[in-house]
Amino acid sequence: MSSERWFGDDSGPMVRLYALTRGRARPNGEFLDVIALIGASTLPEHDLTLSPEQAAILDLCRTTVFSVAEIASRVNLPLNVLRVLLADLAEDGHIRVTHPTLPGRLPDDQILREVLDGLRAL
Amino acid sequence: MDSVRSDLRQAGMQSFVALKILIAGGFGAGKTTMVGAVSEIQPLRTEEYLTEAGRGVDNPDGVERKTTTTVAIDFGRITFDDRMALYLFGTPGQDRFWFFWDDIAQGALGAVVIADTRRLEDCFPAVDYFERREMPFVVAVNCFDGSRRYRIDQVSAALDLDPGTPVVLCDARDRTSAKQVLITLVERVRQEKRQASAAVSR
Ligand SMILES: Nc1nc2c(ncn2[C@@H]2O[C@H](COP(=O)(O)OP(=O)(O)OP(=O)(O)O)[C@@H](O)[C@H]2O)c(=O)[nH]1
Ligand SMILES: [Mg+2]
């Protein structure tokens, strides 16, 4: 299979995205949930070796934490590509990752009651 | 969960609870509309590129090909206070995307399956998926104008649902209606939890 065929005719963005992740489809390190929260621990202007996309991520998460899904949408990167970039940023100490407290198979009833109260109050 | 807890403590956010709900259903069933009706932010759209191995059969040269497909995921958020947020993910319903669903479904509280009565069979794959994963879900029958009305028990029978799975009528455009669907889902999760703990203590 040739790479031309893989990328097809409208291959521009795909080639660019795979170049960004240096061809990796899966990130290094642990699984990053779509609702994990990301905050920047460094400023993009302090590291000129960052790619524009990485700098954009740090810029976005400068003062507010954002979920992975929200970052993907705001910096306009596919989720799977973003996951790879975030893993690299985490490895180099540029971001803090807060993994979500996900409910187990049986979430705490207290939490569920709070969710219900919250929904009813909307 | 211990490693998660210690990470959170380090981040000073140990009490923040993030919950996920999936909004599934067939093409045009109203997923994006429902996410938008209850989200506090303008629904966001993210994409995922998928690489699929070609079937081979329809390739005249018989060479295996890979094609890339883009899957759009809607994303909405409801924050209750600074300690808890509900994230909504509208996800496409075709069953060839299931392997990618696992990515988002992991750890989810539950799911809403939107049924469009003009094409009820479109939500079979989603119903199947959540039943297999034993994830609590509700079926929300989106009442499009001019579509034939079914009774709830008819929908339930047509989808061959477990007796406990709630079916509710809704208008995905209406905030109160969409909110009621989510409330029904969370009540269902509570009920399943009570049943499971009763089974354990028996
Ligand atoms: N009458 C009526 N129209 C609806 C309702 N919900 C959605 N629609 C309309 O139906 C169309 C499809 O709704 P979407 O929310 O885009 O459906 P979807 O499931 O996100 O569709 P895809 O992402 O394309 O699969 C839109 O034009 C909506 O305005 C409803 O409850 N009643
Ligand atoms: Mg949609």
Side-chain angles (χ1 to χ4, degrees):
Chain A
M1 182 187 60
S2 69
S3 54
E4 291 88 325
R5 203 181 261 166
W6 175 305
F7 290 116
D9 283 328
D10 43 8
S11 61
M14 281 300 292
V15 173
R16 167 88 185 117
L17 291 169
Y18 274 88
L20 263 179
T21 62
R22 280 171 274 134
R24 290 164 299 164
R26 286 269 147 202
N28 303 329
E30 61 198 327
F31 176 78
L32 201 51
D33 199 284
V34 275
I35 60 172
L37 297 174
I38 309 295
S41 18
T42 62
L43 298 176
E45 49 272 32
H46 292 163
D47 186 345
L48 297 176
T49 67
L50 293 173
S51 67
E53 289 78 9
Q54 289 175 313
I57 295 167
L58 291 187
D59 200 37
L60 177 69
C61 306
R62 204 180 265 264
T63 52
T64 321
V65 294
F66 280 103
S67 65
V68 170
E70 196 157 345
I71 295 171
S73 167
R74 290 184 190 272
V75 302
N76 200 16
L77 286 170
L79 268 176
N80 37 358
V81 170
L82 176 68
R83 279 203 177 102
V84 174
L85 298 187
L86 288 175
D88 289 348
L89 285 171
E91 199 169 274
D92 296 337
H94 289 295
I95 55 170
R96 297 178 314 275
V97 178
T98 307
H99 295 283
T101 354
L102 293 170
R105 179 70 187 83
L106 300 171
D108 192 329
D109 196 57
Q110 178 58 33
I111 290 178
L112 296 176
R113 281 208 307 267
E114 284 178 36
V115 174
L116 282 173
D117 291 345
L119 283 172
R120 292 199 175 105
L122 278 186
Chain B
M1 286 305 268
D2 273 344
S3 65
V4 173
R5 292 249 161 78
S6 69
D7 284 353
L8 289 166
R9 202 169 297 131
Q10 279 164 21
M13 298 185 67
Q14 65 273 43
S15 59
F16 188 83
V17 181
L19 302 161
K20 281 192 280 195
I21 289 179
L22 273 61
I23 313 281
F27 183 73
K31 304 176 292 288
T32 305
T33 306
M34 185 177 283
V35 171
V38 284
S39 176
E40 69 195 11
I41 52 170
Q42 185 74 17
L44 299 171
R45 164 153 295 208
T46 73
E47 292 191 333
E48 179 114 278
Y49 281 104
L50 302 178
T51 307
E52 300 179 288
R55 287 292 114 83
V57 233
D58 43 332
N59 293 342
D61 51 7
V63 178
E64 196 189 308
R65 280 177 204 192
K66 291 192 175 173
T67 52
T68 53
T69 322
T70 312
V71 180
I73 307 150
D74 301 305
F75 168 73
R77 162 159 51 81
I78 306 171
T79 314
F80 295 126
D81 47 45
D82 52 358
R83 301 193 314 102
M84 197 186 286
L86 196 58
Y87 296 90
L88 305 169
F89 289 91
T91 44
Q94 295 90 319
D95 45 4
R96 65 199 175 102
F97 295 145
W98 283 163
F99 65 94
F100 132 86
W101 270 57
D102 286 343
D103 238 36
I104 290 185
Q106 188 171 318
L109 189 62
V112 173
V113 175
I114 304 184
D116 175 349
T117 52
R118 297 167 302 181
R119 286 167 305 200
L120 208 50
E121 64 282 2
D122 283 7
C123 68
F124 286 167
V127 167
D128 231 42
Y129 179 85
F130 297 121
E131 281 181 348
R132 249 185 298 120
R133 287 193 56 117
E134 301 188 347
M135 182 175 290
F137 70 97
V138 300
V139 174
V141 180
N142 202 4
C143 306
F144 285 93
D145 310 322
S147 67
R148 214 178 117 197
R149 296 293 169 119
Y150 290 84
R151 290 196 319 268
I152 282 175
D153 58 308
Q154 291 174 314
V155 174
S156 193
L159 295 177
D160 194 20
L161 299 176
D162 291 338
T165 302
V167 180
V168 289
L169 302 178
C170 79
D171 180 332
R173 299 164 299 181
D174 181 65
R175 183 175 164 90
T176 309
S177 177
K179 191 177 108 173
Q180 195 51 50
V181 171
L182 296 181
I183 290 172
T184 307
L185 173 63
V186 180
E187 292 285 17
R188 173 64 179 160
V189 176
R190 285 185 78 190
Q191 187 193 6
E192 285 202 12
K193 179 188 152 77
R194 276 196 300 270
Q195 282 167 356
S197 46
V200 167
S201 60
R202 211 176 283 138

